[in-house]
Each structure stands twice: as structure tokens, then as C-alpha cells.
Amino acid sequence: MRRNIVIALCCTMVFASCDLLDITPKHVVSTEKAFDDVESYRMALNNVYLTLTSSVMNMQTTDYASDDFKNVISGYAASNYYVYNWDYQSQPQPYIWSYQYQLIARENVLIDNYGIVPAENEANQDEIDQIYAQALGLRAWSLFNIVQIYAPHYDGSNGGEEGIPLKVHLELEYLPKSDLEEVYNQIFGDLEKAETLLTESAYSPSSSDKSYEFGLDAVRALRARVALFMGDMETALEASSHFIDTELLDKEDYWMLWEDQFGSANKEILFMTHDLSDTDDAELIDYHEIYENNGVLLSDELVNSFGEDDIRKESSYINANQVPYKYIVPVNERNSQIDRNLHYKHFRLAEQYLIYAEAVLQSDPDEAMRILNVLREKRGAELLTTRPDKLEILKERRRELFCESLRFYDLKRLSSELNLVVERANGSVLTANSPLYVWDVPKEETNSNPYIF
């Protein structure tokens, strides 16, 4: 009991006030007491996963800044309205900056204290190693999300441009922005360490826990995603190749992806967060309700891009009013009542197919077409008969991954190359390579941190 209280204090008192980068956990219980065995270390990791279940940790807010929606009103979550209008400094400000850095602080607790956790035997050390590896992978994911939103797109040639502050230790100090190259080196460094440890460790999560743990699949999936977004097609191809021999669900079984998270035939989920529908937070994180109460509708262009038999457009996923249904199970032949199905799927097998197709496109367009057709066949879409180009792959990414927090990132990385323009009904425009692709750092940060203006 004493140890549980110690960890609870370490992970709540200390993190409650770290909204800004200069705030490092204070009143910290000594690490020698906090992590005096593997159980305590595991509890700290569980605290990170619990934090991820909060709606404010989901990156889907960025979808409002994309072209997937044709309407949003200032309602249930007013910040969504401002993001929709590319107005990033209006109140209430987008919360991604502060909450992602809070998450990094929790991850840094695990990373910085890796060396002090005692191991009684080899099995203990394996568990310590894999906890540390998961923390590294999760931190890489947090850094990637922040740099995608608050810094220019990194294409490998502009590494000297300002990125984001690299808060990778628990020191008490303000930090300036590191350059983009340094940020991406940190991300890849974390992922490489994590993959090595997870590959060499004898640890293996149970089948029921696998999709909830940021394990080897998630680390490789993130490495493929990061490499694609910086244009490192060789690394993107190598990382995504780990997944393309895993079969996607057949069209008839597609429902399992969203309704049967733990079915043995469902191999499509690589990492997701828990279902909190039976908790007091359910109303706050119900993705469907957030959309409905904001009057959000999917764009006509997106909805009309699906073929007639494409399972991804059926009423279980897009309702008649063009409200996205991906995170709610409606009444159907398998369910007698609506189920608030709040498992957020952050990394999926289909994304890896799409990364592989784009990474191999230039060197082997026939292989790119083959892998796209494997995906399209499984989703009930017509097969391609001619070699795809990058725009065709981007369209397929949009159909497959809508409302999963990647569309804005895709527009940002490809807007200049493909001359992509987003126009709102009120006439406001997000042009190719617009400065609006870089969100404003919140005022609370710029007002307190002398290194960020």
C-alpha cells in the first residue's frame, strides 16, 4: 500500500501543474523510493497509458484543420471551432502543446529512472527493459505530433529551421527550440533504442494486452510513419515491410476492426487506447458526440470519393447526415443498441500498407499498385487498372484514415508538391505551403519562456 501511495503522489501531485515547459515535476518523492522494484516502474507506465485515454490526448483535433469537414460550429468543444478556421491563438486555445509536453514529462520519469530500478533476476531485467522501451516509443510519438503541428514540415533538406523544444529530461529550466534535424534525430534515436530492446527482450505481452501496449509493432509502425513524413522512403519501406505479409480483414469481416477489438482474426489494430465508456469521462471523450454537438459534417468531396460497394462508406461508419461513425457502434444486426465504443485506434495495419505503397512507388510502381489493390479489394472498392501516382495514394489514405488525425499532416507534407488548396465556405483559404500549417505556440508559453517569441 505504501508503494502505491508513493507512485500515486509521484504521478499526480508532481505533474498536475506542468502546463508550461519550464515546469518540471516538483515535490517529487525520491526516485529511490518511487522505483524500488519492477512493480513500481510498471505502475508509472500504466499512468502514462491512463493519461492517453483522455480526450485531450487524442490528436483528432487536427482533423478540424483539414479538408475532411464542411461545417463546424462553436459548441461542445469551442477550440475545435478555432482550429477549423485556422485561428490558433483565439480562446480557448488549442491544448495540444501543453498536454503533449505533460505526457512527455511522465515519459521522462520512466526514461530518466531506467538505470535505478533493481532487477532480482533476468526476467525482471527483461520487464524493466521493455517498460523503458515503451516509454521511449511513446516519447517519440509525442515529439512527432508536436513537431508536425508547431514547426515547418521537415523534408530532410531544411534541418536548420526551428523545430520545437526538446524536453527529454526532468531538469527545471526554460528551453529554446531545437532545430528540425535535432528533433528528428531524437525521435529516431528513441525508436531505434526501443526497437532494439523489444527485439532482444524475452518479454511478450498477452494477446489481450498486445494492442494496448506500445510494443514492437507500434514502434515499427511509428518509425515507418515518421520516415514517410520526412521523405525517407528507404526507411519507410523497410519499416512498413514488417507488416504487409499480415492479412487485412475481408470485406465481410471489416466490422471486426471497430466492433471486435479482441477477436483472434482481427490483426489490423497495432496500437489503441482503452475504452472508457463506463467511466465519468465518457461524455467528454465520446468522439461521435463531439462531432454531433459541433454540427460537424464530412465534406461532400470525401464522401463522394467512395465507390458504391466500398465498405468504408456504409452506414456503420458514415451516417446519412455525413457524421463520422468510426468511434461508435450503431444499432445493426450485431448490436441491439448503440455502443459508445471508445477504443481509439492510433496505429493500424492499413496505414502500413499505404506507407509501403508510397515508399515503393518510385522504384516499383507495379508493386505499389499491387499493394493498393490488396487494400481496395478488402474494402470492397474497385481495383486500379493503371499505375497510381502519389495523388492517388493520398486519396486512398484519405478514404481509409479519415478522422484518425493524419489528414492535416498529409496536407502539410504534400501541399506544395501536389498544389493542394483547402477553401472554407466563408472564403478563407489554406494554400499550398501556407504559414497556417504551423500552429502558433500558445500565449501562455510565449509569455513565460524567454526563448520563444
Side-chain angles (χ1 to χ4, degrees):
M1 178 64 70
R2 177 194 66 81
R3 186 172 297 118
N4 290 358
I5 294 173
V6 167
I7 293 297
L9 288 171
C10 183
C11 296
T12 56
M13 280 178 71
V14 173
F15 290 117
S17 62
C18 50
D19 286 342
L20 302 176
L21 268 63
D22 67 306
I23 308 254
T24 299
K26 298 176 181 178
H27 313 297
V28 180
V29 177
S30 69
T31 53
E32 288 78 6
K33 292 181 180 179
F35 298 122
D36 56 2
D37 58 24
V38 179
E39 179 188 358
S40 304
Y41 201 44
R42 168 67 67 179
M43 288 174 61
L45 177 64
N46 290 344
N47 181 268
V48 174
Y49 285 126
L50 178 62
T51 303
L52 281 170
T53 63
S54 168
S55 63
V56 296
M57 291 301 173
N58 289 315
M59 304 304 295
Q60 282 90 344
T61 297
T62 62
D63 290 329
Y64 289 105
S66 77
D67 57 352
D68 279 352
F69 301 112
K70 66 178 181 180
N71 182 54
V72 65
I73 60 174
S74 182
Y76 182 79
S79 60
N80 299 333
Y81 175 80
Y82 295 111
V83 172
Y84 179 83
N85 287 296
W86 307 302
D87 183 357
Y88 306 129
Q89 281 289 7
S90 295
Q91 297 291 341
Q93 293 181 31
Y95 40 69
I96 290 175
W97 175 278
S98 59
Y99 281 104
Q100 285 297 310
Y101 274 111
Q102 286 183 33
L103 187 58
I104 287 172
R106 288 169 165 83
E107 293 152 357
N108 284 342
V109 167
L110 288 155
I111 293 167
D112 278 6
N113 290 291
Y114 166 61
I116 72 163
V117 185
E120 296 180 1
N121 49 50
E122 188 174 342
N124 265 186
Q125 189 59 56
D126 278 343
E127 187 171 0
I128 292 167
D129 287 349
Q130 63 83 21
I131 292 171
Y132 173 59
Q134 289 178 68
L136 287 168
L138 288 163
R139 184 173 71 181
W141 184 30
S142 298
L143 290 171
F144 175 71
N145 286 326
I146 298 170
V147 78
Q148 284 299 304
I149 295 172
Y150 294 100
H153 169 62
Y154 179 46
D155 62 8
S157 67
N158 59 332
E161 291 191 58
E162 279 191 339
I164 59 172
L166 274 178
K167 190 75 170 177
V168 293
H169 296 292
L170 292 173
E171 72 278 348
L172 248 180
E173 63 177 333
Y174 291 108
L175 294 175
K177 293 180 180 179
S178 298
D179 62 41
L180 286 172
E181 184 175 10
E182 186 177 358
V183 173
Y184 275 83
N185 284 343
Q186 181 68 52
I187 292 171
F188 276 115
D190 282 353
L191 292 174
E192 287 168 6
K193 287 180 187 176
E195 185 168 359
T196 298
L197 285 167
L198 290 167
T199 302
E200 295 177 351
S201 172
Y203 168 81
S204 178
S206 66
S207 58
S208 61
D209 291 337
K210 183 177 180 182
S211 57
Y212 285 138
E213 297 215 359
F214 209 89
L216 185 59
D217 282 351
V219 166
R220 285 173 169 168
L222 177 57
R223 191 158 66 88
R225 181 185 291 181
V226 175
L228 178 76
F229 275 79
M230 64 172 288
D232 181 357
M233 295 305 178
E234 182 178 351
T235 299
L237 183 60
E238 180 271 322
S240 61
S241 293
H242 290 286
F243 300 98
I244 61 166
D245 289 331
T246 302
E247 286 195 25
L248 296 157
L249 290 165
D250 290 331
K251 176 185 175 182
E252 294 74 20
D253 296 324
Y254 179 70
W255 63 270
M256 293 176 61
L257 173 58
W258 308 103
E259 299 180 39
D260 186 16
Q261 277 77 209
F262 308 108
S264 59
N266 185 359
K267 308 295 184 185
E268 291 210 26
I269 302 171
L270 304 179
F271 177 69
M272 66 180 180
T273 51
H274 281 278
D275 180 350
L276 294 186
S277 56
D278 60 349
T279 72
D280 293 338
D281 289 332
E283 292 297 328
L284 297 176
I285 65 174
D286 191 331
Y287 199 47
H288 172 63
E289 288 297 321
I290 289 173
Y291 280 149
E292 246 189 6
N293 291 337
N294 273 284
V296 170
L297 300 177
L298 293 171
S299 73
D300 296 332
E301 181 187 12
L302 170 58
V303 174
N304 293 335
S305 71
F306 292 94
E308 182 178 350
D309 297 322
D310 196 318
I311 190 68
R312 296 169 294 190
K313 188 186 175 180
E314 289 194 1
S315 59
S316 292
Y317 315 108
I318 301 174
N319 77 359
N321 294 321
Q322 297 186 199
V323 175
Y325 254 37
K326 271 188 172 179
Y327 293 92
I328 190 169
V329 180
V331 175
N332 57 33
E333 64 274 15
R334 294 174 296 277
N335 305 282
S336 59
Q337 60 184 8
I338 288 178
D339 176 19
R340 289 180 175 178
N341 181 30
L342 304 176
H343 297 282
Y344 289 91
K345 286 78 174 176
H346 300 288
F347 291 88
R348 296 200 288 114
L349 183 61
E351 182 197 357
Q352 297 303 305
Y353 273 61
L354 290 161
I355 290 174
Y356 178 90
E358 188 171 340
V360 80
L361 179 63
Q362 185 172 358
S363 62
D364 192 347
D366 289 330
E367 174 66 0
M369 183 171 74
R370 183 190 73 81
I371 206 71
L372 281 178
N373 276 338
V374 170
L375 174 62
R376 290 178 64 81
E377 181 178 18
K378 295 292 187 179
R379 301 311 193 223
E382 292 184 7
L383 301 186
L384 301 175
T385 57
T386 59
R387 291 174 173 176
D389 56 15
K390 191 171 290 189
L391 181 59
E392 181 60 46
I393 294 174
L394 181 63
K395 291 178 180 177
E396 197 64 46
R397 286 178 62 87
R398 189 184 189 190
R399 285 186 287 264
E400 179 65 30
L401 302 171
F402 72 92
C403 299
E404 295 184 52
S405 76
L406 290 172
R407 178 61 179 178
F408 183 73
Y409 295 1
D410 275 338
L411 292 174
K412 182 173 182 175
R413 74 183 174 95
L414 293 174
S415 66
S416 293
E417 180 180 347
L418 302 179
N419 193 29
L420 303 174
V421 177
V422 181
E423 186 170 359
R424 300 292 188 218
N426 64 6
S428 57
V429 177
L430 183 66
T431 58
N433 202 33
S434 169
L436 294 174
Y437 278 116
V438 181
W439 293 24
D440 297 330
V441 175
K443 291 177 182 177
E444 287 91 339
E445 182 67 30
T446 57
N447 287 344
S448 60
N449 187 339
Y451 296 110
I452 300 179
F453 310 104

